[in-house]
C-alpha cells in the first residue's frame, strides 16, 4: 500500500467537515446566481459570493487558531476554495460554458491524482499529502474557471439567446 488506511480516514474526516462548511461559505447566495434576468445583476451576486467566502474563511481561521484541537490543516483555505469553486461553476452554468467546466474539472483531477501517486512513491503518505494534493487540483480547476469568467458583463446583456459554447469558442 502506498498510503495507509488511517491517512485516508483522517483525510475523509477533514473533507467531510470542510464540505459542510464550504458549501455554505457563500451563505447560499450562489444559488441565486441563476435567477437575475441580466448578467450584470448575476455578476454582482458572484462578487457577493466571493466576499462571503472570504468572510467565512476568515472566521474559520480564527476558530481554528483559538482551538488547536481542530488541527488547523488549512480548513479556512479549503472553505474559501470550495465556496469559490461552487460559485464559479454556477456562473459558468448560467453562461452555458459547459465545456470550460468539464476541462476545469478534468484539469483538477489531472493535477491531484498524479501528485498523490508521485508523493506516495516518494514516501509522503500522510493525510496532509492527500489534502494538499486535492487542494492543488481544486486550485488548478478554479484558475481555469476564473480565466473564463473574468469578463465583466454589460448591463444590457440578457441570458436569453446566449450562444452555447462550442469547442472552437473555447479557444477564443
Amino acid at each position: 500500500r502506498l498510503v495507509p488506511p488511517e491517512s485516508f480516514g483522517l483525510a475523509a474526516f477533514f473533507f467531510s467537515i470542510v464540505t459542510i462548511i464550504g458549501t455554505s461559505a457563500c451563505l447560499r447566495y450562489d444559488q441565486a446566481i441563476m435567477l437575475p434576468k441580466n448578467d450584470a445583476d448575476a455578476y454582482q451576486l458572484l462578487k457577493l459570493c466571493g466576499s462571503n467566502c472570504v468572510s467565512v474563511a476568515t472566521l474559520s481561521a480564527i476558530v481554528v487558531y483559538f482551538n488547536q484541537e481542530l488541527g488547523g490543516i488549512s480548513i479556512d483555505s479549503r472553505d474559501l476554495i470550495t465556496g469559490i469553486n461552487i460559485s464559479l461553476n454556477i456562473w459558468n452554468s448560467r453562461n452555458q460554458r459547459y465545456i470550460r467546466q468539464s476541462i476545469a474539472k478534468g484539469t483538477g483531477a489531472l493535477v491531484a491524482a498524479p501528485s498523490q501517486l508521485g508523493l506516495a512513491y516518494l514516501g509522503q503518505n500522510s493525510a496532509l499529502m492527500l489534502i494538499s494534493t486535492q487542494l492543488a487540483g481544486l486550485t488548478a480547476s478554479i484558475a481555469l474557471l476564473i480565466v473564463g469568467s473574468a469578463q465583466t458583463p454589460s448591463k444590457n446583456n440578457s441570458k436569453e439567446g446566449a450562444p452555447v459554447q462550442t469547442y472552437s469558442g473555447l479557444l477564443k
Side-chain angles (χ1 to χ4, degrees):
R1 292 190 182 187
L2 293 175
V3 181
E6 54 271 4
S7 293
F8 280 111
L10 186 58
F13 177 70
F14 172 81
F15 286 128
S16 67
I17 291 172
V18 168
T19 301
I20 292 169
I21 298 170
T23 53
S24 58
C26 296
L27 304 178
R28 303 312 289 164
Y29 280 103
D30 54 322
Q31 297 299 312
I33 290 173
M34 295 292 251
L35 299 177
K37 290 192 189 270
N38 64 32
D39 284 341
D41 292 339
Y43 188 72
Q44 293 302 318
L45 283 169
L46 179 66
K47 292 192 311 188
L48 178 64
C49 288
S51 63
N52 286 344
C53 289
V54 170
S55 300
V56 169
T58 303
L59 182 63
S60 177
I62 291 169
V63 168
V64 168
Y65 178 76
F66 287 112
N67 188 356
Q68 295 299 324
E69 291 178 8
L70 291 176
I73 310 173
S74 68
I75 290 178
D76 50 341
S77 63
R78 178 65 191 204
D79 291 340
L80 176 67
I81 290 172
T82 301
I84 289 174
N85 185 46
I86 291 169
S87 299
L88 286 172
N89 275 309
I90 292 174
W91 173 257
N92 279 294
S93 290
R94 175 190 171 83
N95 293 306
Q96 299 177 354
R97 295 182 182 137
Y98 305 117
I99 295 172
R100 184 178 312 278
Q101 285 179 291
S102 298
I103 291 172
K105 189 98 165 153
T107 301
L110 286 174
V111 168
S115 300
Q116 287 176 355
L117 191 59
L119 288 171
Y121 273 120
L122 293 174
Q124 301 295 321
N125 55 4
S126 65
L128 182 59
M129 180 272 298
L130 293 171
I131 294 167
S132 300
T133 53
Q134 286 290 19
L135 278 174
L138 198 53
T139 303
S141 176
I142 287 174
L144 285 177
L145 290 174
I146 287 175
V147 167
S149 303
Q151 307 155 352
T152 305
S154 65
K155 292 214 183 265
N156 297 329
N157 190 7
S158 175
K159 72 178 182 179
E160 287 89 22
V164 176
Q165 182 184 12
T166 63
Y167 286 104
S168 61
L170 182 67
L171 301 174
K172 293 180 182 176

